[in-house]
Structures are given as structure tokens and as C-alpha cells.
Amino acid sequence: MNSKEVISNDHLWQNSIVQPLLTDLYQITMAYAYWKAGKRNENAVFDLFFRKNPFNGEFTIFAGLEECLKFLRNFSFSKSDIEYLKETLPGHIEDDFFDYLENLTADEIRLYAIPEGTVVFPRVPLIRVEGPLIVAQLLETTLLTLVNYASLLATNAARYRLAAGSKIMLLEFGLRRAQGPDGGLSASKYAYLGGFDGSSNVLAGKLFNIPVKGTHAHSFVSSFSDSDDLSIRTLEPRDGIILESKNFVDDCIAWRTKVAKTLAVLPGQANDGELAAFASFAIAFPTSFSALVDTYDVIRSGLINFCAVSLALNDYGYRSWGIRLDSGDLGYLSRISREMFITIGKAYDQPWFSKLKIIASSSINEEIIYSLNEQGHQIDCFAVGTHLVTCQRQPALGGVYKLVEVNGEPKIKLSEDVEKVTIPGKKQVYRLYGSDASRSDVVGHPLVDLLQKEDEAPPEVGQRVLCRHAFLESKRAYVIPTRVEPLLRLYWSKCGITEELPRLSEIRDRVNHNIATLRPDHKRYLNPTPYKVAVSDSLYGYLHEIWLKSAPIGELS
């Protein structure tokens, strides 16, 4: 690593499969065609961006930048890579090309990017890559695979956070449903970045310093038949607690009779094996006992057994954490659970009991959370799996990587679909903020992201700026910004990584801050207001001049 590179030791881990061969074959074949055409020294500029926000929303979270920088730092073809390419590519390819690949690095690349964790919008370049054409082209697929899923997942997570609100705990439980182990690790990392509080994924916890959480499965409960299954029946009380007997299991059984009477439930309906399982788990984890209460029947068994074990734990000087609901009518069951906890707390003068946590983990998605909010649920934590990590509502972001300049000459891609026309040339992006008369402690909400030619003077605070729609001539407006934020920063050059990379928790804070600055109508679940992305008057003229020069003139006959 270059001694001038700015990177902390906390970010050294990298997935070993992220390397130059993690690409599409056509990138290699294009590289050879460029090389054969003598274009190895030509300088190119590529923009990485997306065209539409995911999940029918109007914002996206940019994620994956750190992994892109690690990829650049380690970019090189190994000898085994070269041997594989020699076997795979057509036999007529010259040996000198393979020698060229073997000596290729990303040292001549310059990468500009928006800071990871920033809220971003369509057509805004998230990453700008400058450097030798062949190298910049070879980066395309890998950069896209590192950014597309990361940004999609982080956005999905941020939407769950908006749905749940700031006070509800969110846990990612999706490893078993993710698209393979790499997808599972990425999901855990970017769910945390997007606003989740922890994960069940232990390896993600180790690699990314993410808090790990979990209870137990139904199989643990159903593995017990009754208390005779328990070979260990005692629990050592906490310091200062003196008990005549330390037979914790017998104490749980005694408490179950009292709880059933207090709640006016027949004690014989509660499953004996479930009570044994809960008692066993409490003996193993007395300081953080939580239980999955829907293996048999939540109201007639699970809650009764949980309350009995929790009251027995309390006698020994410990307090339970809470329950998990994994099926059924979550709104109704959470309210019943809370009512039971309040009743037990009052009956036995244990006010803490009413505040026990309730986790819900039954195929949670955005719609379910909003519905539960309307039902007045009593859930403290949502554990989200399948719908989060697979992004079932929209499985791909659709980011693209387009050539916008070669040797200082602008390049444009035309299409009958105007949305697919690219904006040529090297650009800078500025976020323009407006005032917020309702709050004196903030500058205000962002009004528009403005794309300018790189050589244009940046917008100034208090000065009127003409902002134009890139393709519709009549759509234009003046903005007088109260704050101007340049978004693209240099993150990679010859000296390596040029900015100290923030910790994952710091990126998570940036997401939270960026989301908070957006107007509520941009964030709402139904029919959100589109955020404006504009071009300067100069870039508008530049774009349309190049468009007219590049488009063929039709002929009618």
C-alpha cells in the first residue's frame, strides 16, 4: 500500500472474490479491441448513475463506495487469471496483450464520488471515473455490482426505518433467505448502514462490528417434552439474593399456577415441554432471557410459560428481556401480550414487567409495518428477513456506467427513450438548500441537485441560479440557495485512497442525517413528491448542441 494512502485499519477486510475477473466477458474483449486499435493511452471519463429511484419512492441511499475503493487498491490480474484468460479467449489474441493485462493497475485512475450514505437521486453521477480508457472500461461491471445491491439494500433499510419510526428497534434476520453467503453478508452490512440496529448474522457482526441479536427457534422449544428432560434444574442467584431452594425448574412450575390464576387461564392448557424449554434457556441465559412464544399457542401457553419463568428469574435476581412473536395476528397478539405484562406487573408489584420487549418477526414488510401502526400495535422491535434482504418489492436498482468523455471530447448516448439519453462531459454536482422558516437550528431542506460543467463557477449562497430540466425546455426555475454543497469528492488518485474512510456507524449516522433533511413529502410512502435534479443553463446548451450534432437527420419520401 502506498504510504500516502489515507485508510484506517478498521477497513482492511475485503471479500476475496472482488477482483478483476469478477466482470463480464465483454469487458475483456472490449479491452483487447481497444488495445488492438491503439487506444491504450487514451483518457476517458465514465459516470456511474441510476435512472429511477427504487420501491416507487423518490430517494435512494448511495452505498458501496468503500468496497469500490478497496477494489481499486487491489486491482491486478494474477498469473492464474492470465492463464485462465489465455485458455478462454480466442487463440488469435496476441501474447503482448496478456503481458499488458498482467502489468495493469488502477494507479492512473482518478475516482470522484458522493460520500457514502448520502441521499441521492436519478441522473446524478454517484461516481465519476477518469483515466486510461481500457482500465476505466474494465472497472465497469465490478463497480456496478458493488454499488447496485448495496444502494438498493441500504435504501430498503432506510424505508423500513421511516415506516417503523425512530423509537422502534429494527433487526435484520435474513441470512437464511439471502442470495447466497455473499448476499447475506452484504445484506447485513447495508441494512445496518441504512438504519437497522443489529443483525442475527454472527460473521457480519465480527467483520463489520455490527451488534448481533437473537433468541431461539421453534425447534429448541419442541425438543423438550416436560421438565423431566432437564438434567440441570438449579440456577445460582445473583449476589445478595438468598433462597431456601435453588430448584429453579420447580419454582417456574409453581409460578405458572399463580400466573394462570391471575390471568384467569386454565393452567393445564400451557404446554409442559414449552415451560421446560423456557426454563432451560433461562438457566443458560439468565441475564438476557427472551423466548419465542408461538410454538403451540401464544395466549394459552407461550405467554403463561414466559411469565412464569420471568417471575421465577426475578426471584433469583434476574430480569427477562422479552418475547418474540413469529406468527398470527401481530397487532392483536402484541396488544394482548402487553395487557398481560401490565396485569402481571400490577398483581405482583413488579412495574418493570409492563415494559418487557415484544419482537415481531413474521414475514415483515413495509406494508405490514404501516398497517400495524394503524392498528396501534405494542411491538418494540421488528425482526425483518426475506423482504429486506431479497428486496422482493424491487430486486435491482438498475445503475449504469456510461462513457461521457474521451480525450476531452464529450460523448453522448442517444435513444428514442429520452430517459436513456446521457448527459455528456465532465460534471460537478451541487446540492442547493432553501430556508426553513419553521426551524432556526437548521439551514433548511435541499431544493434541487444541480449538474454543471466542471469548469463552471459553483453556485453562490444568496445568488439567483437558473436551474433547468435536462430535456424539457419549458421546465426551469430560479433558486436562491441558503447553502451550497458540492457532492463529488476525490476519493482515489495516484496516491491511493485520498480521504479517511468513515466507520460503518458513521456512515449510518450520515444516512440518518440526510433522511432528516428531506422534506416529508419526498419521503412519504404513497405518492411521494419527486425531488428535482436540474442542469445549469450552460450544461443545458452544451447537451443539446452535442445532441443535435450527434443525431442523424431523417429523410421523408
Side-chain angles (χ1 to χ4, degrees), residues 504-546:
L504 188 59
S505 59
E506 293 172 326
I507 302 174
R508 185 172 178 268
D509 291 341
R510 178 181 287 144
V511 172
N512 185 55
H513 172 74
N514 269 245
I515 291 288
T517 65
L518 286 181
R519 288 200 327 246
D521 57 308
H522 295 311
K523 298 181 285 187
R524 65 190 176 208
Y525 180 66
L526 294 175
N527 300 317
T529 303
Y531 180 85
K532 292 178 174 60
V533 175
V535 297
S536 66
D537 192 49
S538 177
L539 181 55
Y540 177 88
Y542 185 68
L543 161 64
H544 287 267
E545 179 186 358
I546 295 167

Side-chain angles (χ1 to χ4, degrees), residues 133-205:
L133 174 60
I134 295 178
V135 184
Q137 185 72 72
L138 286 169
L139 300 177
E140 175 179 2
T141 301
T142 316
L143 293 183
L144 285 172
T145 197
L146 292 173
V147 168
N148 271 327
Y149 180 68
S151 300
L152 185 73
L153 199 289
T155 305
N156 205 18
R159 292 177 62 88
Y160 276 90
R161 172 52 69 196
L162 286 173
S166 60
K167 296 181 181 179
I168 300 293
M169 180 179 287
L170 290 176
L171 299 177
E172 176 269 313
F173 273 22
L175 178 58
R176 64 187 61 195
R177 303 288 171 78
Q179 283 90 343
D182 292 297
L185 279 174
S186 294
S188 299
K189 177 179 181 179
Y190 294 112
Y192 183 69
L193 182 151
F196 273 57
D197 298 293
S199 172
S200 64
N201 188 336
V202 181
L203 182 56

Side-chain angles (χ1 to χ4, degrees), residues 486-501:
L487 293 183
L488 286 173
R489 304 182 190 173
L490 179 64
Y491 276 92
W492 175 271
S493 70
K494 291 181 180 180
C495 63
I497 298 173
T498 57
E499 291 207 14
E500 185 170 357
L501 301 181

Side-chain angles (χ1 to χ4, degrees), residues 157-356:
R159 292 177 62 88
Y160 276 90
R161 172 52 69 196
L162 286 173
S166 60
K167 296 181 181 179
I168 300 293
M169 180 179 287
L170 290 176
L171 299 177
E172 176 269 313
F173 273 22
L175 178 58
R176 64 187 61 195
R177 303 288 171 78
Q179 283 90 343
D182 292 297
L185 279 174
S186 294
S188 299
K189 177 179 181 179
Y190 294 112
Y192 183 69
L193 182 151
F196 273 57
D197 298 293
S199 172
S200 64
N201 188 336
V202 181
L203 182 56
K206 175 186 176 184
L207 294 176
F208 308 124
N209 196 31
I210 297 172
V212 290
K213 305 287 184 181
T215 52
H216 56 76
H218 293 109
S219 57
F220 180 82
V221 177
S222 61
S223 71
F224 292 83
S225 298
D226 54 41
S227 62
D228 291 339
D229 289 346
L230 299 176
S231 58
I232 298 177
R233 306 175 69 87
T234 61
L235 175 64
E236 192 67 28
R238 272 195 163 171
D239 293 343
I241 303 294
I242 300 175
L243 297 172
E244 293 182 4
S245 169
K246 294 182 182 178
N247 193 320
F248 178 71
V249 178
D250 287 349
D251 292 340
C252 292
I253 295 171
W255 266 115
R256 185 169 70 176
T257 302
K258 298 177 187 177
V259 167
K261 183 177 181 180
T262 300
L263 297 175
V265 177
L266 293 175
Q269 295 187 55
N271 187 279
D272 291 337
E274 185 177 57
L275 180 67
F278 289 178
S280 174
F281 206 69
I283 290 171
F285 299 99
T287 61
S288 59
F289 171 63
S290 60
L292 180 59
V293 296
D294 69 327
T295 303
Y296 301 109
D297 186 285
V298 174
I299 297 173
R300 297 178 180 85
S301 182
L303 287 171
I304 305 301
N305 285 327
F306 171 78
C307 290
V309 173
S310 296
L311 288 167
L313 271 176
N314 185 64
D315 290 340
Y316 284 69
Y318 304 100
R319 287 187 179 176
S320 299
W321 191 85
I323 63 169
R324 178 158 70 97
L325 300 169
D326 193 48
S327 62
D329 187 332
L330 298 178
Y332 170 73
L333 291 174
S334 70
R335 293 193 301 272
I336 290 294
S337 300
R338 185 66 66 204
E339 290 171 8
M340 284 191 177
F341 294 160
I342 291 171
T343 300
I344 293 295
K346 289 180 178 178
Y348 299 104
D349 194 24
Q350 300 294 333
W352 60 272
F353 216 91
S354 65
K355 298 178 182 179
L356 285 166

